[in-house]
Amino acid sequence: MYTPRVARLAWILPTVLLLLSLHQVVTAINLGKTLDEGEAAVAEVIRYERSDRKDVTHVELDLLVRLGDGSTIERNRLALPYSIGHRVEEADSLEVTVLPGGGQEVVITQIGRTQTRIAWSNGAMSFIAFLMAFVGVFSWNRWLARTTT
């Protein structure tokens, strides 16, 4: 009775996984574009926070970027992948690449390529999960269509 409705609603899962995969691909492209086309600048680390708790692990920082023309850009609560956050832990200032108006306006130069690879990897993994979910939901809906008619 409810099984066909649930099977149709199950299409939400592959849809969300596909959107997640596309988001990660766009993020990787934007990171690469900023690194390739952006201008070099120096950012002052205003705040660095690393949580090593078992239930919550994250690295977050606030930056004040000084551009070549004398203007400044402030970026707060920038999340970094936990696995590479230690690379910028003790720094008072960081070299960054800035592309005003870009999808990723400020990228820490030292870890930018690693972040790009992580985004590509996340996109690939979520696409594989999408394919598996798609096949499962498609097969289930097809099986239900055959058995209920």
Side-chain angles (χ1 to χ4, degrees):
M1 170 190 329
Y2 293 108
T3 305
R5 284 188 212 154
V6 172
R8 286 187 193 98
L9 281 173
W11 283 108
I12 293 171
L13 178 63
T15 303
V16 168
L17 288 168
L18 180 62
L19 291 173
L20 177 62
S21 182
L22 292 173
H23 175 270
Q24 288 300 297
V25 167
V26 168
T27 299
I29 290 169
N30 287 338
L31 284 165
K33 184 176 180 180
T34 298
L35 288 169
D36 294 338
E37 299 174 13
E39 70 175 87
V42 175
E44 177 186 344
V45 178
I46 299 170
R47 180 182 66 90
Y48 177 90
E49 179 183 321
R50 179 181 176 129
S51 172
D52 293 319
R53 292 182 8 209
K54 289 182 182 182
D55 57 336
V56 179
T57 57
H58 77 277
V59 174
E60 187 177 88
L61 46 94
D62 297 343
L63 298 177
L64 182 62
V65 182
R66 292 185 189 351
L67 300 174
D69 64 1
S71 61
T72 60
I73 298 174
E74 187 173 346
R75 290 291 177 259
N76 296 318
R77 302 182 60 91
L78 294 174
L80 296 178
Y82 183 79
S83 59
I84 61 174
H86 67 279
R87 294 187 193 174
V88 298
E89 188 168 10
E90 298 295 323
D92 292 329
S93 64
L94 298 167
E95 291 182 21
V96 295
T97 306
V98 181
L99 184 63
Q104 294 284 328
E105 286 189 317
V106 178
V107 177
I108 300 171
T109 308
Q110 178 184 0
I111 61 175
R113 295 289 174 207
T114 304
Q115 284 185 287
T116 303
R117 284 190 298 273
I118 289 171
W120 280 116
S121 177
N122 287 343
M125 287 186 291
S126 58
F127 187 73
I128 291 168
F130 156 74
L131 291 175
M132 293 181 349
F134 180 84
V135 168
V137 172
F138 178 80
S139 299
W140 185 26
N141 275 276
R142 190 170 168 192
W143 178 79
L144 281 176
R146 280 194 227 148
T147 58
T148 56
T149 55

